[in-house]
């Protein structure tokens, strides 16, 4: 900006937009001292600023800090934040954490506030860690009913990523098929009928294979334990600082 042919190189005063004032101050200090403290109160302003100014070291430090903060109550927010700022490794870790801890994540406020496309990204994963497909269906219905007027039209789009053929016949007929939201939508009823055919006609199943009939395979524990270890380490560090 200042040494090339850009207009800023000939100006005595340059206005830099879209960067938090405090974050800019910390980054300038870092340029002179090679030291910076990344903490809960500044990480969300530091990371965008570091991305804009192409300070790779700070980006990495912010992402490493956020990995240590991963929790079922905030992993979706961190996941979205990483996606917005193209932090691929952080996005991957947050994604894995979300999938492994889906049973806790689905009960969080962040889950209820997800846009439909992000919900679909999560529930369509083969690596979703659930005891049964019933949990996925219940999570989807809870999400729809959280803002029913707005989300009711999106139900068919979301429901097609629930693997209804993997449900028990009792749950499919007694719970899914009898739900008023399902019964009132033709596309949803078609998905239920597809699942019923799959369960009632075992001899035809080889011809009915697809994404909705594929069993889920939860992710390996190793990477999730890595994230959990980071959380424990950070908590210990905070405790030591307090002491």
């Amino acid at each position: 900006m200042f040494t090339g042919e850009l207009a800023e190189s000939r100006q005595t005063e340059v206005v830099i937009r879209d960067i938090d004032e405090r974050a800019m101050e910390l980054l300038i200090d870092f340029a002179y001292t090679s030291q910076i403290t990344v903490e809960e109160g500044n990480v969300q302003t530091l990371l965008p600023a570091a991305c804009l100014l192409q300070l790779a070291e700070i980006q990495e430090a912010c992402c490493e800090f956020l990995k240590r903060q991963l929790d079922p109550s905030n992993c979706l927010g961190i996941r979205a934040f990483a996606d917005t700022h193209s932090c691929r490794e952080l996005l991957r870790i947050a994604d894995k954490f979300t999938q492994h801890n889906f049973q806790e994540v689905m009960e969080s406020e962040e889950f209820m506030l997800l846009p439909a496309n992000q919900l679909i990204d999560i529930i369509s994963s083969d690596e979703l860690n659930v005891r049964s497909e019933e949990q996925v269906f219940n999570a989807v219905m809870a999400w729809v009913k959280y803002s029913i007027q707005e989300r009711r039209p999106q139900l068919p789009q979301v429901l097609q990523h629930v693997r209804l053929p993997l449900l028990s016949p009792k749950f499919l007929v007694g719970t899914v098929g009898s739900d008023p939201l399902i019964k009132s939508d033709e596309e949803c009823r078609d998905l239920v009928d597809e699942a019923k055919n799959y369960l009632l006609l075992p001899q035809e199943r080889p011809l009915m294979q697809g994404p909705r009939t594929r069993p889920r395979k939860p992710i390996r524990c190793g990477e999730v334990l890595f994230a959990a270890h980071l959380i424990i380490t950070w908590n210990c560090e905070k405790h030591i600082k307090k002491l």
Side-chain angles (χ1 to χ4, degrees), residues 124-173:
S124 61
S125 172
D126 287 346
E127 298 178 337
L128 202 63
N129 182 28
V130 289
R131 292 190 301 272
S132 71
E133 201 65 20
E134 293 178 12
Q135 289 182 295
V136 185
F137 174 79
N138 288 333
V140 164
M141 298 309 292
W143 178 85
V144 171
K145 292 173 183 177
Y146 186 82
S147 182
I148 194 165
Q149 296 302 320
E150 175 190 350
R151 295 174 177 176
R152 185 172 186 168
Q154 298 173 306
L155 178 57
Q157 178 191 6
V158 176
L159 190 66
Q160 65 178 297
H161 297 281
V162 180
R163 304 180 184 189
L164 297 181
L166 302 184
L167 294 170
S168 68
K170 181 180 179 180
F171 188 86
L172 179 64
V173 175

Coordinates of all heavy atoms in Angstrom, one line a residue, residues 124-173:
S124 N -26.8 -33.6 7.2 CA -26.6 -34.4 6.0 C -25.2 -35.2 6.1 O -24.9 -36.0 5.3 CB -26.6 -33.6 4.8 OG -25.5 -32.6 4.8
S125 N -24.5 -34.9 7.2 CA -23.2 -35.6 7.3 C -23.3 -37.0 7.7 O -24.1 -37.4 8.6 CB -22.3 -34.8 8.4 OG -21.1 -35.6 8.7
D126 N -22.5 -37.9 7.0 CA -22.4 -39.3 7.4 C -21.8 -39.5 8.7 O -22.0 -40.6 9.3 CB -21.6 -40.0 6.3 CG -22.3 -40.2 5.0 OD1 -23.6 -40.0 5.0 OD2 -21.7 -40.5 4.0
E127 N -21.1 -38.5 9.2 CA -20.3 -38.7 10.5 C -21.0 -38.1 11.7 O -20.4 -38.0 12.8 CB -18.9 -38.0 10.3 CG -18.1 -38.6 9.2 CD -16.8 -37.8 9.0 OE1 -16.7 -36.7 9.4 OE2 -15.8 -38.5 8.4
L128 N -22.3 -37.8 11.5 CA -23.0 -37.3 12.7 C -23.1 -38.4 13.8 O -23.5 -39.5 13.5 CB -24.4 -36.9 12.2 CG -25.2 -35.9 13.1 CD1 -24.5 -34.6 13.1 CD2 -26.6 -35.7 12.5
N129 N -22.8 -38.0 15.0 CA -22.7 -38.9 16.1 C -24.1 -39.0 16.8 O -24.3 -38.1 17.7 CB -21.6 -38.6 17.0 CG -21.4 -39.5 18.2 OD1 -21.7 -40.7 18.1 ND2 -20.9 -39.1 19.3
V130 N -24.9 -39.9 16.5 CA -26.2 -40.0 17.2 C -26.5 -41.5 17.5 O -26.0 -42.4 16.8 CB -27.4 -39.5 16.3 CG1 -27.3 -38.0 16.1 CG2 -27.4 -40.1 14.9
R131 N -27.3 -41.7 18.6 CA -27.6 -43.0 18.9 C -28.6 -43.7 17.9 O -28.5 -44.9 17.7 CB -28.2 -43.1 20.3 CG -27.3 -42.7 21.5 CD -27.9 -43.0 22.8 NE -29.1 -42.2 23.0 CZ -29.2 -41.0 23.5 NH1 -28.1 -40.4 23.8 NH2 -30.3 -40.3 23.7
S132 N -29.5 -42.8 17.4 CA -30.4 -43.3 16.4 C -30.9 -42.1 15.6 O -30.7 -41.0 15.9 CB -31.7 -44.0 17.1 OG -32.5 -43.0 17.7
E133 N -31.5 -42.4 14.4 CA -32.0 -41.3 13.5 C -33.1 -40.6 14.1 O -33.4 -39.5 13.7 CB -32.4 -41.9 12.2 CG -32.4 -41.0 11.0 CD -31.0 -40.4 10.7 OE1 -30.0 -41.0 11.0 OE2 -31.0 -39.3 10.0
E134 N -33.7 -41.1 15.2 CA -34.8 -40.4 15.9 C -34.3 -39.1 16.4 O -35.1 -38.1 16.4 CB -35.3 -41.3 17.0 CG -36.0 -42.5 16.6 CD -36.5 -43.4 17.8 OE1 -36.5 -42.9 18.9 OE2 -36.9 -44.5 17.5
Q135 N -33.1 -39.0 16.9 CA -32.5 -37.8 17.4 C -32.4 -36.7 16.3 O -32.7 -35.5 16.6 CB -31.1 -38.0 18.0 CG -31.2 -38.8 19.3 CD -29.8 -39.0 19.9 OE1 -28.9 -39.7 19.3 NE2 -29.5 -38.4 21.0
V136 N -32.1 -37.1 15.1 CA -32.0 -36.1 14.0 C -33.4 -35.6 13.7 O -33.6 -34.4 13.5 CB -31.3 -36.8 12.8 CG1 -31.1 -35.7 11.7 CG2 -30.0 -37.5 13.2
F137 N -34.4 -36.5 13.6 CA -35.7 -36.1 13.3 C -36.2 -35.1 14.4 O -36.8 -34.0 14.1 CB -36.7 -37.3 13.2 CG -38.1 -36.9 13.1 CD1 -38.6 -36.5 11.9 CD2 -39.0 -36.9 14.2 CE1 -40.0 -36.1 11.7 CE2 -40.3 -36.5 14.1 CZ -40.8 -36.1 12.8
N138 N -36.0 -35.5 15.7 CA -36.5 -34.6 16.8 C -35.8 -33.2 16.7 O -36.4 -32.2 17.0 CB -36.2 -35.3 18.1 CG -37.1 -36.5 18.4 OD1 -38.2 -36.5 17.9 ND2 -36.7 -37.4 19.1
A139 N -34.5 -33.2 16.4 CA -33.8 -32.0 16.3 C -34.3 -31.1 15.2 O -34.5 -29.9 15.4 CB -32.3 -32.2 16.0
V140 N -34.7 -31.7 14.1 CA -35.2 -30.9 12.9 C -36.6 -30.3 13.3 O -36.9 -29.2 13.1 CB -35.3 -31.8 11.7 CG1 -36.3 -31.2 10.6 CG2 -34.0 -32.1 11.1
M141 N -37.4 -31.2 13.9 CA -38.8 -30.7 14.3 C -38.7 -29.6 15.4 O -39.5 -28.6 15.3 CB -39.6 -31.8 14.8 CG -39.9 -32.9 13.7 SD -40.5 -32.3 12.1 CE -42.1 -31.7 12.6
A142 N -37.8 -29.7 16.3 CA -37.6 -28.7 17.3 C -37.1 -27.4 16.7 O -37.6 -26.3 17.0 CB -36.6 -29.1 18.4
W143 N -36.3 -27.5 15.7 CA -35.8 -26.3 14.9 C -36.9 -25.6 14.2 O -37.1 -24.4 14.2 CB -34.7 -26.7 14.0 CG -34.1 -25.6 13.1 CD1 -33.2 -24.7 13.4 CD2 -34.6 -25.3 11.8 NE1 -32.9 -23.9 12.4 CE2 -33.8 -24.2 11.3 CE3 -35.5 -25.8 10.9 CZ2 -33.9 -23.6 10.1 CZ3 -35.7 -25.2 9.6 CH2 -34.9 -24.1 9.2
V144 N -37.8 -26.4 13.5 CA -38.9 -25.9 12.8 C -39.9 -25.2 13.7 O -40.3 -24.0 13.5 CB -39.6 -27.0 12.0 CG1 -40.9 -26.4 11.4 CG2 -38.7 -27.5 10.9
K145 N -40.2 -25.8 14.8 CA -41.2 -25.3 15.7 C -40.7 -24.1 16.5 O -41.5 -23.3 17.1 CB -41.7 -26.4 16.7 CG -42.5 -27.5 15.9 CD -42.8 -28.7 16.8 CE -43.5 -29.7 16.0 NZ -43.8 -31.0 16.8
Y146 N -39.4 -23.9 16.5 CA -38.8 -22.7 17.2 C -39.3 -21.4 16.6 O -39.5 -20.4 17.2 CB -37.3 -22.8 17.2 CG -36.6 -21.7 18.0 CD1 -36.4 -21.8 19.4 CD2 -36.1 -20.6 17.4 CE1 -35.8 -20.9 20.1 CE2 -35.5 -19.6 18.1 CZ -35.3 -19.7 19.5 OH -34.6 -18.8 20.2
S147 N -39.5 -21.4 15.2 CA -40.0 -20.3 14.5 C -40.9 -20.8 13.4 O -40.6 -20.8 12.2 CB -38.9 -19.4 13.9 OG -39.4 -18.3 13.3
I148 N -42.1 -21.4 13.8 CA -42.9 -22.2 13.0 C -43.4 -21.5 11.7 O -43.5 -22.1 10.6 CB -44.0 -22.9 13.8 CG1 -44.6 -24.0 13.0 CG2 -45.0 -21.9 14.2 CD1 -45.5 -24.9 13.8
Q149 N -43.8 -20.2 11.9 CA -44.4 -19.5 10.7 C -43.4 -19.3 9.6 O -43.7 -19.5 8.4 CB -45.0 -18.2 11.2 CG -46.1 -18.3 12.1 CD -47.3 -19.1 11.6 OE1 -47.6 -18.9 10.4 NE2 -47.9 -19.9 12.4
E150 N -42.2 -19.0 10.0 CA -41.1 -18.8 9.0 C -40.5 -20.1 8.5 O -40.2 -20.1 7.3 CB -40.0 -18.0 9.7 CG -38.7 -17.7 8.8 CD -37.6 -17.2 9.6 OE1 -37.8 -16.8 10.8 OE2 -36.5 -17.2 9.1
R151 N -40.4 -21.1 9.3 CA -39.7 -22.3 8.9 C -40.5 -23.4 8.4 O -40.0 -24.4 7.8 CB -38.8 -22.8 10.1 CG -37.8 -21.8 10.5 CD -37.0 -22.2 11.8 NE -35.9 -21.3 12.1 CZ -35.2 -21.4 13.2 NH1 -35.4 -22.3 14.1 NH2 -34.2 -20.5 13.4
R152 N -41.8 -23.4 8.6 CA -42.7 -24.4 8.1 C -42.5 -24.7 6.6 O -42.5 -25.9 6.2 CB -44.2 -24.1 8.5 CG -45.1 -25.2 8.1 CD -46.5 -24.9 8.6 NE -47.4 -26.0 8.4 CZ -48.6 -26.1 9.0 NH1 -49.1 -25.1 9.8 NH2 -49.4 -27.1 8.8
P153 N -42.4 -23.7 5.8 CA -42.2 -24.0 4.3 C -40.9 -24.6 4.0 O -40.7 -25.2 3.0 CB -42.3 -22.6 3.7 CG -43.0 -21.7 4.7 CD -42.6 -22.2 6.0
Q154 N -39.9 -24.5 5.0 CA -38.6 -25.1 4.8 C -38.5 -26.6 5.2 O -37.5 -27.3 5.0 CB -37.5 -24.3 5.5 CG -37.4 -22.9 5.0 CD -36.5 -22.0 5.9 OE1 -36.6 -22.0 7.1 NE2 -35.5 -21.4 5.2
L155 N -39.6 -27.1 5.9 CA -39.6 -28.4 6.4 C -39.3 -29.5 5.4 O -38.4 -30.4 5.6 CB -40.9 -28.7 7.1 CG -41.0 -30.1 7.7 CD1 -39.9 -30.5 8.7 CD2 -42.4 -30.3 8.4
P156 N -39.9 -29.5 4.2 CA -39.6 -30.5 3.2 C -38.2 -30.5 2.8 O -37.5 -31.6 2.6 CB -40.5 -30.2 2.0 CG -41.6 -29.4 2.6 CD -41.0 -28.6 3.7
Q157 N -37.6 -29.4 2.6 CA -36.2 -29.2 2.2 C -35.3 -29.8 3.2 O -34.3 -30.5 2.9 CB -35.9 -27.8 1.9 CG -34.4 -27.5 1.6 CD -34.1 -26.0 1.6 OE1 -34.9 -25.2 2.0 NE2 -32.9 -25.7 1.2
V158 N -35.6 -29.6 4.5 CA -34.7 -30.1 5.6 C -35.0 -31.5 5.9 O -34.0 -32.3 6.1 CB -35.0 -29.2 6.9 CG1 -34.1 -29.8 8.0 CG2 -34.6 -27.8 6.6
L159 N -36.2 -32.0 5.8 CA -36.6 -33.3 6.2 C -36.0 -34.4 5.2 O -35.7 -35.5 5.6 CB -38.1 -33.5 6.2 CG -38.6 -34.8 6.7 CD1 -38.3 -34.9 8.2 CD2 -40.1 -34.9 6.5
Q160 N -35.7 -34.0 4.0 CA -35.1 -34.9 3.0 C -33.7 -35.3 3.4 O -33.2 -36.3 2.9 CB -35.2 -34.4 1.6 CG -34.3 -33.1 1.4 CD -34.4 -32.7 -0.1 OE1 -34.0 -33.4 -1.0 NE2 -34.9 -31.5 -0.3
H161 N -33.1 -34.6 4.4 CA -31.8 -35.0 4.8 C -31.8 -35.8 6.1 O -30.7 -36.2 6.6 CB -30.9 -33.7 5.0 CG -30.7 -33.0 3.7 ND1 -29.8 -33.3 2.8 CD2 -31.4 -31.9 3.2 CE1 -29.8 -32.5 1.8 NE2 -30.8 -31.6 2.0
V162 N -33.0 -36.1 6.6 CA -33.2 -37.0 7.7 C -33.3 -38.4 7.1 O -34.1 -38.6 6.2 CB -34.4 -36.7 8.6 CG1 -34.6 -37.7 9.7 CG2 -34.3 -35.2 9.1
R163 N -32.7 -39.4 7.6 CA -32.7 -40.7 7.0 C -33.8 -41.5 7.6 O -33.7 -42.4 8.4 CB -31.3 -41.4 7.3 CG -30.2 -40.5 6.7 CD -28.8 -40.9 6.8 NE -27.9 -39.9 6.3 CZ -26.6 -40.0 6.1 NH1 -26.0 -41.2 6.4 NH2 -25.9 -39.0 5.6
L164 N -35.0 -41.1 7.1 CA -36.3 -41.7 7.6 C -36.3 -43.3 7.4 O -36.8 -44.0 8.3 CB -37.5 -41.1 6.9 CG -37.7 -39.6 7.1 CD1 -38.9 -39.1 6.4 CD2 -37.8 -39.3 8.6
P165 N -35.7 -43.8 6.4 CA -35.8 -45.3 6.3 C -35.0 -46.0 7.4 O -35.2 -47.2 7.6 CB -35.1 -45.6 4.9 CG -35.4 -44.3 4.1 CD -35.3 -43.2 5.1
L166 N -34.2 -45.3 8.1 CA -33.4 -45.9 9.2 C -34.1 -45.9 10.5 O -33.6 -46.4 11.5 CB -32.0 -45.2 9.3 CG -31.1 -45.2 8.1 CD1 -29.8 -44.6 8.4 CD2 -31.0 -46.6 7.5
L167 N -35.3 -45.2 10.5 CA -36.1 -45.2 11.8 C -36.8 -46.5 12.0 O -37.0 -47.3 11.1 CB -37.2 -44.1 11.6 CG -36.7 -42.6 11.6 CD1 -37.9 -41.7 11.2 CD2 -36.0 -42.2 12.9
S168 N -37.2 -46.7 13.3 CA -37.9 -47.9 13.6 C -39.3 -47.8 13.0 O -39.9 -46.7 12.9 CB -38.0 -48.2 15.1 OG -38.8 -47.1 15.7
P169 N -40.0 -48.9 12.6 CA -41.3 -48.8 12.0 C -42.3 -48.1 13.0 O -43.1 -47.3 12.6 CB -41.7 -50.2 11.8 CG -40.4 -50.9 11.6 CD -39.4 -50.3 12.5
K170 N -42.2 -48.4 14.3 CA -43.1 -47.8 15.3 C -42.9 -46.3 15.3 O -43.9 -45.5 15.4 CB -42.8 -48.4 16.7 CG -43.7 -47.9 17.8 CD -43.3 -48.5 19.1 CE -44.2 -48.0 20.2 NZ -43.9 -48.6 21.6
F171 N -41.7 -45.8 15.3 CA -41.4 -44.4 15.4 C -41.9 -43.7 14.1 O -42.5 -42.6 14.1 CB -40.0 -44.1 15.6 CG -39.6 -42.6 15.9 CD1 -39.7 -42.1 17.2 CD2 -39.3 -41.8 14.9 CE1 -39.5 -40.8 17.5 CE2 -39.0 -40.4 15.1 CZ -39.1 -39.9 16.4
L172 N -41.6 -44.3 13.0 CA -42.0 -43.8 11.7 C -43.5 -43.6 11.6 O -43.9 -42.5 11.1 CB -41.5 -44.7 10.5 CG -41.8 -44.2 9.1 CD1 -41.1 -42.9 8.8 CD2 -41.4 -45.3 8.1
V173 N -44.2 -44.6 11.9 CA -45.7 -44.5 11.8 C -46.3 -43.7 12.9 O -47.1 -42.8 12.7 CB -46.3 -45.9 11.8 CG1 -47.8 -45.9 11.8 CG2 -45.8 -46.7 10.6

